[in-house]
Amino acid sequence: MDQVAEDRSLERKAYWICLIGGGMLWLLTALLSGRSEAWDSPYYWSLAYPMSILLAGIVANLAGLWMAVFALRMLAGVAQPLPLS
């Protein structure tokens, strides 16, 4: 039972790191550029996006392989509509 509690604690930490880190990246990118949406900023692709991939890698390393799969699924969900636009 101890392992289950430890896994849950790790999941919570990974969740909060992603939530706070992603939110901060989004807000700072929008604030730096003065745009209302972060992806409208020239800094999005050059700074925020690579930093979000780095953050996902750090979380995946801390939380284990299953979190890496989750991060890749999120990236695939974001990248999938791009060729259609």
Side-chain angles (χ1 to χ4, degrees):
M1 197 65 175
D2 243 353
Q3 184 64 31
V4 172
E6 188 176 322
D7 288 346
R8 279 293 195 205
S9 174
L10 194 56
E11 287 177 20
R12 284 189 198 104
K13 287 177 186 174
Y15 173 80
W16 284 107
I17 290 170
C18 288
L19 183 69
I20 293 169
M24 285 178 54
L25 279 173
W26 183 268
L27 289 173
L28 288 175
T29 304
L31 287 173
L32 281 174
S33 66
R35 309 275 174 100
S36 60
E37 298 287 344
W39 57 58
D40 291 337
S41 167
Y43 305 116
Y44 182 75
W45 293 108
S46 61
L47 293 175
Y49 190 71
M51 289 178 74
S52 66
I53 292 172
L54 179 66
L55 179 64
I58 291 168
V59 170
N61 186 40
L62 293 174
L65 182 60
W66 70 269
M67 196 62 153
V69 171
F70 177 71
L72 288 173
R73 286 183 183 169
M74 283 194 315
L75 272 174
V78 170
Q80 185 179 7
L82 291 178
L84 299 175
S85 57

